[in-house]
Amino acid sequence: QVQLVESGGGLVQPGGSLRLSCAASGFTFSWYDMSWYRQALGKERELVAAISRTGGSTNYADSVKGRFTISRDNGKNTVYLQMNSLKPEDTAVYYCNAERSYYGISYWGQGTQVTVSS
């Protein structure tokens, strides 16, 4: 019954923007740290951005700092990733993650494809 459903991916030109959404259900959303990961073809899955339970703390991969913004709305059980100034190197499948690391609990969405190409 736990679900993380990503949306908002697609094809965009270099320099463009996309906003990804991840809608959560089946668990107490506000108890979980939320993150976005991505996996490009032939590469390992990497952490893109993370946000704490209340939204008071965020961190980003160096490659996306200043371009991407993670946010969450606990009232809507949704986490977002605003992606600006997109580059071809951002092309990947983007995954939503919910984690309570102390207890070894982690949930994953199915991913959404982001393709940055002219």
Side-chain angles (χ1 to χ4, degrees), residues 4-15:
L4 295 172
V5 181
E6 299 97 335
S7 62
L11 176 64
V12 65
Q13 295 182 4

Side-chain angles (χ1 to χ4, degrees), residues 2 4 12 16 19 22 27-28 35 37 39 41-42 45-46 51-53 74 85 88 91-92 100-101 104 111 115 117:
V2 169
L4 295 172
V12 65
R19 189 179 77 157
C22 173
F27 64 99
T28 304
S35 300
Y37 288 73
Q39 187 166 24
L41 188 64
R45 187 174 296 189
E46 66 172 342
I51 188 166
S52 60
R53 293 182 298 278
N74 286 350
S85 301
T91 296
R100 298 187 75 191
S101 59
T115 302
S117 178

Side-chain angles (χ1 to χ4, degrees), residues 11 26 39-40 54 64 67 71 73 79 97-98 115:
L11 176 64
Q39 187 166 24
T54 63
V64 307
R67 300 189 297 120
S71 61
D73 187 336
V79 63
N97 171 260
T115 302

Side-chain angles (χ1 to χ4, degrees), residues 1-5 22-32 34 74 76-78 98 100 105-107:
Q1 291 174 318
V2 169
Q3 284 192 295
L4 295 172
V5 181
C22 173
S25 61
F27 64 99
T28 304
F29 182 77
S30 63
W31 292 359
Y32 286 75
M34 300 298 298
N74 286 350
K76 296 181 178 180
N77 290 347
T78 302
R100 298 187 75 191
I105 300 173
S106 184
Y107 303 131

Side-chain angles (χ1 to χ4, degrees), residues 102-116:
Y102 183 85
Y103 303 98
I105 300 173
S106 184
Y107 303 131
W108 293 91
Q110 292 298 305
T112 185
Q113 176 71 47
V114 172
T115 302
V116 184

Side-chain angles (χ1 to χ4, degrees), residues 39-85:
Q39 187 166 24
L41 188 64
K43 298 188 67 176
E44 75 286 352
R45 187 174 296 189
E46 66 172 342
L47 177 67
V48 177
I51 188 166
S52 60
R53 293 182 298 278
T54 63
S57 180
T58 60
N59 63 274
Y60 299 90
D62 287 342
S63 59
V64 307
K65 285 180 180 176
R67 300 189 297 120
F68 291 11
T69 303
I70 189 170
S71 61
R72 68 190 294 163
D73 187 336
N74 286 350
K76 296 181 178 180
N77 290 347
T78 302
V79 63
Y80 306 94
L81 185 68
Q82 178 66 47
M83 305 186 295
N84 298 327
S85 301

